Amino acid sequence: MALPKSVLIREVGPRDGLQNESAWLDTNEKRTWIDLLAAAHLPYIEVTSFVHPKWVPALKDAKQLAQSLNKIEDITYAALIPNEKGLAHFFEANLDVGAMFISSSETHNKRNMNHSIQETLSVIKQMTADLKAERRSTRVYISTVFGCPYEKQVPMDQVLRLTESLLSYGIDEIALGDTIGEAHPLQVERQLDILLERFPADKIALHFHDTKGMGLANIYTALKAGITTFDSSSGGLGGCPYAPGSSGNVATEDVVHMLQKLGIETKVDLPTLIKAAEWIETKIDRTLPSHCLRAFHSHTTS
């Protein structure tokens, strides 16, 4: 069994983690959390989303936050961009990676974007050209790849067509999303077998939610298939406001812990990462699902 020597972790907690939270963190608190994540040597942090505050109130200070980051040279700072107005804010903040999103399910795409898949593709194509003109890296999330709350299973042909279109625009990385946490290892293995026959593994990232506790098992399956980039969220925060039943992302510290045990390099400092998860847990005032965080609490209180 061949496992990769190293893996890239994409930390999405400050965006994907907070977007579904009712607890409000002010701009200084968000920046403090991002600084704590940076101190753990995470190579990539998605800091916010430039969506309209009406749709995601928890990120209504996106512009102020993005323009006030304490940037560290070796860390890549990304943000989610829904449209051209969001793109303008992205450029004003001088961030590194513009992340866009589309769903493989027509129903979910209309709920999430208020547009058809085809309309969304047109927007992404134009924004990609704008980002490339400014020499910025690009990423697209494809949601509901492993299951949709409205359409159940999305045909694999649809995922392949979307991936092909997006890569033809010059997108640097496609993140395939298990939006409602329905994926299981056999499904991941089968779908990656099909995808990786047509597309290079270094263009594909995986974004697993841990709704039914399958996140780490799915990542292990993807590692064996040759995937080396994974999204995760500090503490296991996360969820999609437009996907009923979607719970948190797989916890970053749980992913890093597993990779360390497998002898796979991440360059991430696990104890510092756990401290960042502990900090955000106190701020949102609820118990987070991270196993490493629970084990840390158990150890320090025993």
Side-chain angles (χ1 to χ4, degrees):
M1 181 188 66
L3 290 172
K5 290 186 171 67
S6 63
V7 157
L8 278 171
I9 301 294
R10 308 290 197 210
E11 172 60 55
V12 299
R15 192 276 301 176
D16 203 359
L18 289 181
Q19 69 179 9
N20 219 24
E21 289 297 318
S22 55
W24 167 251
L25 267 69
D26 66 30
T27 305
N28 288 334
E29 289 172 323
K30 288 175 182 147
R31 189 169 56 247
T32 297
W33 185 30
I34 291 166
D35 288 344
L36 290 169
L37 294 167
H41 308 302
L42 283 160
Y44 179 110
I45 304 172
E46 191 171 89
V47 294
T48 193
S49 172
F50 293 113
V51 294
H52 195 286
K54 175 183 175 183
W55 305 117
V56 185
L59 303 181
K60 65 184 180 183
D61 60 344
K63 189 175 176 182
Q64 298 94 305
L65 173 67
Q67 290 180 333
S68 67
L69 294 172
N70 302 312
K71 292 181 185 174
I72 295 174
E73 188 176 345
D74 293 338
I75 295 176
T76 297
Y77 295 89
L80 201 64
I81 308 165
N83 50 38
E84 292 285 350
K85 187 171 183 181
L87 182 64
H89 294 323
F90 171 87
F91 285 136
E92 285 171 23
N94 197 28
L95 299 177
D96 305 308
V97 176
M100 296 158 280
F101 52 101
I102 192 168
S103 180
S104 57
S105 150
E106 192 71 57
T107 308
H108 183 262
N109 202 77
K110 285 179 177 171
R111 298 282 182 101
N112 198 24
M113 300 288 291
N114 204 29
H115 290 298
S116 69
I117 288 174
Q118 199 54 51
E119 289 168 333
T120 304
L121 278 173
S122 297
V123 173
I124 289 174
K125 186 176 184 179
Q126 182 57 56
M127 289 200 295
T128 301
D130 294 342
L131 286 158
K132 286 169 74 69
E134 295 294 327
R135 299 186 179 182
R136 305 303 167 87
S137 295
T138 53
R139 175 177 228 244
V140 173
Y141 293 99
I142 303 180
S143 302
T144 66
V145 168
F146 300 94
C148 170
Y150 310 108
E151 297 180 17
K152 305 309 177 190
Q153 284 304 310
V154 175
M156 194 60 192
D157 283 351
Q158 173 70 353
V159 177
L160 293 171
R161 281 194 301 272
L162 274 179
T163 303
E164 189 163 35
S165 293
L166 293 166
L167 289 177
S168 76
Y169 302 160
I171 295 294
D172 296 307
E173 187 171 275
I174 308 284
L176 303 176
D178 178 27
T179 311
I180 56 174
E182 280 292 324
H184 56 81
L186 185 57
Q187 181 192 23
V188 171
E189 182 179 22
R190 286 172 173 167
Q191 294 197 196
L192 286 178
D193 279 348
I194 296 167
L195 268 158
L196 296 179
E197 278 185 5
R198 291 181 55 174
F199 309 112
D202 63 2
K203 291 286 187 181
I204 304 296
L206 288 175
H207 181 107
F208 289 116
H209 285 229
D210 205 30
T211 311
K212 296 180 179 176
M214 288 283 192
L216 290 179
N218 290 331
I219 288 175
Y220 184 67
T221 301
L223 285 167
K224 291 193 291 179
I227 300 297
T228 58
T229 305
F230 297 93
D231 296 357
S232 58
S233 177
S234 176
L237 270 174
C240 175
Y242 301 99
S246 170
S247 67
N249 297 64
V250 63
T252 307
E253 51 278 4
D254 291 349
V255 177
V256 170
H257 174 258
M258 181 181 77
L259 293 171
Q260 286 184 354
K261 293 298 183 185
L262 292 171
I264 297 172
E265 180 59 59
T266 64
K267 298 182 180 175
V268 179
D269 182 327
L270 184 57
T272 305
L273 190 60
I274 291 171
K275 288 177 184 175
E278 186 180 36
W279 187 89
I280 193 62
E281 184 177 62
T282 63
K283 289 297 175 183
I284 64 167
D285 198 27
R286 70 176 175 87
T287 301
L288 291 177
S290 162
H291 295 287
C292 281
L293 186 54
R294 299 278 65 76
F296 174 78
H297 283 320
S298 175
H299 178 72
T300 54
T301 56
S302 61

